[in-house]
Amino acid sequence: MADLQKPQDIQHSPKRADKVATASGAPSGAEAGLAFLGNRDWWRGILSTAFGRGFFGFMAFAILVSIVCYLMYGMAAVEAVLREDMTLLVNMMPRVVLALCVASLLWVVLPRDRMARLVGTESGLRGLIIAAIAGTITPGGPSSAYSLLAVLAAAKADRGALVAYITAWALLGFQRILIWDMPFMGAEFSMVRFVVSMPLPILAGLIARHIPIRFDASKLPKGSR
Amino acid sequence: MFGVGFYAMLTVLAGLIVTAFRAPNPVFGAALKRWIEQFAVLVPRMFCALIAAGFCAKLLPAEWISGLLGEGSGFSGLIIAFLTGLLVPAGPVICFSIAAVFVKAGATPAAVITFITSWSLFGAHRLFIYELPLLGFNFARLRMASVLPVPIIAGIAATAISLVITIKMLTGR
């Protein structure tokens, strides 16, 4: 990661910048390969992340709502919901796997320092607009949008740009509008929704820049640094 | 089974693999490491959260709520639509089915837009499955505070647009 902090004199050559970012994705020659796969501590860390407090919290909540559902609608309803959930999960897994492939390759390939300049703290209104457009055209569901957001955050993008990106994805994302809005609600309704939502990611980004809430990109959760 | 987005992502992935092959260092090891780390953060939680979300959607009284969103519900209708959006912790299938129920029961377009906007921004499933594990509590808090007024603004703007359209239709222009 040390390479990221170094000032660069080669910022205008995309090829060389690629190299620098690549080097920062794989800190040293020894670690660049697959050596981490033999590291027991690393695997233990992975397991404790996977089955941490969050996991058991969700499990407890799922059990609680399933009991409420059983009491209100009976066993047949619980079974129907579970069957639907399983179908949903099976359908989602390929998307999640693919989104993670894209995000993790982007993580090592993208020139993160140059990206940060594009949507960094000094990027002004232009940075917010770029972030909003990027969010609008990001393909895929939340698994891809949020993994890309994590890459942007680790690249020290501005907090306003981060909020503008994910707000634009949520409100204006082309894919959501084409697949869900249009067929379910009709073209006219989706047009009105798109038009009234257009300025909102920028507004949210501006609010995020000025709101007095502390956010430190260097303290992201474990799996994202 | 897979839509446009899936194939768009596949194309992006192919481009990235080519780029990664052209990089001077062996980057695939680093990419695999990050892949496993993020998979561990996301997938087990996703499993439990999706099951919980399915039950929550089943428990939501959509038809009763739609009675509160009709013509003349005004600003309070927008607030109720906003709060309902917070309560739908499930994917677009369920959200848009509920929105369709609302439309059928005579909810105003502005209320439905507020509902969809609110769900898009605050859907608890996305918060718990993706945002908290990948970006942490501090970011989630910052983002939610920043977009808090957005669904109501969208609803008011939609009300204004429907008014303009109605006036144009009435005056025959």
Side-chain angles (χ1 to χ4, degrees):
Chain A
M1 290 302 249
D3 298 69
L4 267 184
Q5 267 70 45
K6 263 189 219 159
Q8 273 186 65
D9 48 344
I10 47 167
Q11 29 181 276
H12 297 300
S13 151
K15 242 187 164 170
R16 304 264 317 259
D18 263 354
K19 274 185 199 166
V20 172
T22 303
S24 65
S28 72
E31 268 182 54
L34 300 170
F36 65 90
L37 288 176
N39 185 341
R40 280 177 159 233
D41 288 339
W42 182 76
W43 280 112
R44 207 165 293 144
I46 292 290
L47 269 183
S48 72
T49 322
F51 300 100
R53 277 218 323 251
F55 176 79
F56 291 107
F58 281 131
M59 199 149 91
F61 183 62
I63 292 170
L64 180 79
V65 283
S66 68
I67 292 172
V68 175
C69 191
Y70 169 73
L71 294 177
M72 286 179 71
Y73 300 101
M75 202 57 210
V78 172
E79 268 173 31
V81 170
L82 276 180
R83 207 167 304 130
E84 258 170 54
D85 284 344
M86 286 306 137
T87 321
L88 199 61
L89 261 174
V90 170
N91 281 335
M92 265 176 84
M93 281 323 290
R95 289 165 226 267
V96 171
V97 166
L98 177 63
L100 286 184
C101 286
V102 168
S104 49
L105 271 174
L106 270 183
W107 170 256
V108 293
V109 165
L110 267 192
R112 263 173 269 155
D113 41 354
R114 283 189 342 131
M115 254 172 38
R117 214 166 303 133
L118 205 58
V119 288
T121 327
E122 308 295 316
S123 61
L125 194 63
R126 213 180 62 134
L128 293 185
I129 293 172
I130 292 174
I133 292 174
T136 306
I137 60 174
T138 297
S143 47
S144 51
Y146 277 99
S147 349
L148 293 185
L149 184 65
V151 174
L152 280 177
K156 306 253 180 326
D158 164 56
R159 57 201 273 181
L162 294 175
V163 168
Y165 171 81
I166 199 69
T167 307
W169 170 81
L171 296 184
L172 307 173
F174 281 153
Q175 197 193 337
R176 158 102 43 86
I177 289 178
L178 286 178
I179 296 177
W180 297 105
D181 266 68
M182 296 269 208
F184 268 82
M185 315 302 294
E188 196 182 326
F189 178 91
S190 359
M191 289 264 280
V192 172
R193 198 180 72 72
F194 189 81
V195 168
V196 300
S197 302
M198 246 166 17
L200 300 176
I202 310 282
L203 175 73
L206 286 174
I207 297 177
R209 274 189 183 162
H210 296 287
I211 212 164
I213 288 179
R214 280 235 308 271
F215 166 64
D216 189 350
S218 59
K219 290 191 184 124
L220 290 174
K222 220 168 150 194
S224 304
R225 261 170 289 163
Chain B
M1 174 176 170
F2 299 116
V4 201
F6 189 80
Y7 294 106
M9 287 295 276
L10 265 185
T11 317
V12 175
L13 179 65
L16 279 172
I17 290 176
V18 173
T19 317
F21 262 118
R22 286 173 53 202
N25 298 322
V27 293
F28 287 104
L32 178 66
K33 184 162 183 255
R34 188 168 169 86
W35 193 95
I36 297 175
E37 283 167 359
Q38 295 220 308
F39 189 88
V41 171
L42 285 180
V43 173
R45 269 162 249 244
M46 183 183 289
F47 185 81
C48 294
L50 268 181
I51 290 175
F55 286 116
C56 286
K58 173 88 191 161
L59 294 172
L60 188 80
E63 284 174 23
W64 177 73
I65 292 172
S66 61
L68 305 172
L69 304 176
E71 284 307 327
S73 62
F75 193 70
S76 68
L78 296 188
I79 302 278
I80 291 166
F82 177 39
L83 295 178
T84 313
L86 304 183
L87 295 177
V88 179
V93 193
I94 288 163
C95 169
F96 282 97
S97 317
I98 294 175
V101 170
F102 287 170
V103 171
K104 226 185 273 167
T108 62
V112 179
I113 284 179
T114 305
F115 165 72
I116 293 176
T117 308
S118 163
W119 165 83
S120 303
L121 295 172
F122 298 101
H125 60 304
R126 250 176 276 131
L127 174 73
F128 286 114
I129 299 177
Y130 299 104
E131 193 164 22
L132 290 178
L134 288 178
L135 290 135
F137 176 70
N138 276 339
F139 178 80
R141 195 175 53 166
L142 167 72
R143 186 189 67 83
M144 290 202 282
S146 307
V147 297
L148 200 60
V150 164
I152 299 290
I153 296 176
I156 292 172
T159 310
I161 287 187
S162 349
L163 269 181
V164 170
I165 293 174
T166 317
I167 290 169
K168 274 198 173 159
M169 267 166 38
L170 287 179
T171 55
R173 269 187 297 152

